[in-house]
Amino acid sequence: MSVRFCQSCVLPDSRPGIEIGADGVCNACKGHSDNRSSIDWAGRGQALERLFRGAKARKAAYDCIVPVSGGKDSFWQVAKCLEMDMKVLAVTWRSPGRNALGQANLDRLVALGVDHIDFSIDPSVEARFMKKTLIETGSSAVPMHLAIFAIPMRIAVQMRVPLIVWGESPFMEYGGQKGDSDLDLLNHAWLKRHGILQGREALDWAGDELTTAELAAYCPPAEEEFRQAQVRSIFMGYYLQWDPAESLRVAEANGFRRRPEGPKIGLYDYADIDCDFISVHHWFKWPKFGFTRLFDNLALEIRNGRMSRDEALAIIGRLGDQRPDADIARACDFMGLSAAEFAALEEKFRDHDVWTARDGRWIIDGFPVESRDWPAVPMERAA
Ligand SMILES: [Zn+2]
């Protein structure tokens, strides 16, 4: 079975969620052109105002929680909530990979005028958890995905905050599933539906390396507890049209700084910049699925009419696979993995339906660009 790449954007059908039709065009490209124009944004904006009024009427200490990372979208979410006169509690899961730029941006975000909880989990627990999920699933980001959802949900329940305002739904670009009546809600059903948690809850990871008690911070409140607390958990991107250029403008006007050295991975100097471990998470998409963060960024540029597919392919040819060597070294140091152990994991998760060994190199048949940096086939396999 070989991989097909969308003829409109650059994504392969090996990417989870991507299907390519007989016309060679993927569902994400089709969804993009079908959906956006038919949305009643004025009506949704009014619905958001009603929700905010309802939250304020509860007269809690805070009107809403805004989960923030310190990225540009966090600035936009917080600025919008403050503009609409909400009393905001910002909540962050502190990534153990946060870097100086990430800290500085977060500090400037808090200075917009919000109270803030910077929630740190015991670094030894984070390190063991990251290592375990990387070895078992090829994803070092399972702890992150658990923590970023569980922590704000739990704080909302315990502090009786009526509303959680998330950013853009990461699945909005695919248009959602027809018939979903709760596309705006991030709740237990959403977490399950989108497989964010790889089908496993936090406590399913308990065992020899991690105790149940050590995993407490990764556990969201029970569904029943969440419902009884009457917390509403919404995506702002469902209610307000999300324009990345506009959110970047608002963020920069409020003190957000781009990465002076340029993009860390992908195409943008303003995304995936605040944590040194996120690039390692994205990196595994290359052996697993045959695409990188750059492909995701370019697909958005193409769909939004800012770039042609030929220009995108030229950029892939120029930037190559962008293996984040320095971040991989940092993450390995944090998890207690050697470089050789990491390389062995890259091979463990290399999908042989995607990759073919030829002339001592792993290549992808049908890859749309002449690549100069195909990875070498490891010695023992080549032999
Ligand atoms: Zn496409």
Side-chain angles (χ1 to χ4, degrees):
M1 186 197 91
S2 72
V3 182
R4 294 172 71 203
F5 288 80
C6 172
Q7 293 304 307
S8 176
C9 68
V10 289
L11 292 180
D13 59 1
S14 50
R15 188 194 199 288
I18 290 289
E19 284 161 30
I20 296 179
D23 56 358
V25 177
C26 79
N27 54 328
C29 285
K30 283 182 193 132
H32 187 85
S33 48
D34 289 352
N35 277 321
R36 294 269 162 159
S37 52
S38 60
I39 292 174
D40 171 17
W41 289 110
R44 288 196 184 179
Q46 287 159 5
L48 184 65
E49 282 172 25
R50 281 195 298 276
L51 273 176
F52 278 12
R53 273 201 303 276
K56 290 185 83 66
R58 295 259 292 270
K59 300 199 182 308
Y62 296 96
D63 299 326
C64 67
I65 283 178
V66 181
V68 297
S69 63
K72 73 172 176 70
D73 292 341
S74 311
F75 276 80
W76 192 77
Q77 280 160 263
V78 166
K80 278 284 162 195
C81 288
L82 292 176
E83 221 172 80
M84 294 168 81
D85 198 32
M86 297 291 276
K87 172 71 179 169
V88 172
L89 175 62
V91 174
T92 305
W93 161 71
R94 187 191 172 91
S95 164
R98 182 186 297 165
N99 55 33
L101 179 61
Q103 184 64 52
N105 275 332
L106 189 57
D107 290 345
R108 285 186 281 262
L109 175 78
V110 173
L112 293 182
V114 294
D115 292 350
H116 180 228
I117 296 176
D118 198 13
F119 195 109
S120 311
I121 298 174
D122 176 351
S124 129
V125 172
E126 293 266 40
R128 278 178 279 140
F129 199 1
M130 260 176 79
K131 182 175 176 178
K132 186 175 169 66
T133 65
L134 179 61
I135 289 171
E136 290 185 22
T137 71
S139 172
S140 52
V142 173
M144 174 188 83
H145 283 139
L146 287 164
I148 58 173
F149 296 119
I151 291 166
M153 288 167 88
R154 175 158 296 284
I155 291 174
V157 167
Q158 292 184 340
M159 295 183 73
R160 300 277 151 187
V161 182
L163 190 63
I164 308 177
V165 182
W166 304 90
E168 188 178 30
S169 162
F171 297 95
M172 205 71 93
E173 63 187 279
Y174 302 123
Q177 291 152 342
K178 294 241 180 334
D180 280 355
S181 57
D182 58 349
L183 279 176
D184 61 323
L185 293 181
L186 190 162
N187 51 21
H188 292 76
W190 184 89
L191 290 172
K192 283 194 195 106
R193 187 163 65 227
H194 291 297
I196 297 284
L197 312 177
Q198 308 245 349
R200 294 170 80 169
E201 300 194 11
L203 293 183
D204 296 337
W205 292 96
D208 292 343
E209 302 95 334
L210 291 158
T211 67
T212 302
E214 284 175 325
L215 291 168
Y218 303 97
C219 298
E223 211 166 337
E224 186 53 28
E225 198 185 353
F226 195 64
R227 205 170 22 243
Q228 278 178 3
Q230 294 183 295
V231 179
R232 206 174 158 88
S233 175
I234 62 164
F235 290 109
M236 195 176 241
Y238 177 84
Y239 294 96
L240 300 176
Q241 192 157 16
W242 203 273
D243 177 350
E246 172 65 5
S247 72
L248 180 61
R249 192 194 60 76
V250 170
E252 289 194 292
N254 285 293
F256 172 80
R257 305 276 159 80
R258 303 175 188 224
R259 187 167 185 268
E261 306 91 323
K264 206 168 169 53
I265 50 166
L267 194 63
Y268 306 130
D269 60 0
Y270 52 80
D272 302 316
I273 57 173
D274 48 15
C275 162
D276 289 339
F277 295 166
I278 195 77
S279 58
V280 181
H281 158 58
H282 289 307
W283 169 247
F284 268 81
K285 293 170 183 170
W286 183 233
K288 278 176 159 177
F289 308 117
F291 76 102
T292 66
R293 189 62 164 164
L294 182 61
F295 289 54
D296 277 328
N297 294 163
L298 291 169
L300 279 185
E301 293 299 308
I302 293 169
R303 272 176 227 140
N304 287 301
R306 291 189 290 266
M307 192 183 281
S308 73
R309 186 170 187 268
D310 284 345
E311 286 170 292
L313 294 177
I315 291 172
I316 293 172
R318 191 169 77 243
L319 296 181
D321 64 14
Q322 294 185 309
R323 188 179 190 273
D325 296 327
D327 286 356
I328 287 172
R330 278 187 206 103
C332 282
D333 188 47
F334 180 70
M335 289 183 283
L337 272 178
S338 70
E341 286 169 322
F342 188 87
L345 288 173
E346 289 173 294
E347 291 317 314
K348 173 179 172 182
F349 290 102
R350 187 178 304 284
D351 185 337
H352 294 179
D353 282 341
V354 173
W355 294 87
T356 308
R358 192 169 300 151
D359 302 331
R361 302 269 139 190
W362 284 118
I363 62 136
I364 299 171
D365 278 323
F367 196 70
V369 179
E370 192 73 45
S371 179
R372 54 178 164 70
D373 56 0
W374 293 120
V377 178
M379 299 280 280
E380 63 272 21
R381 191 181 163 80

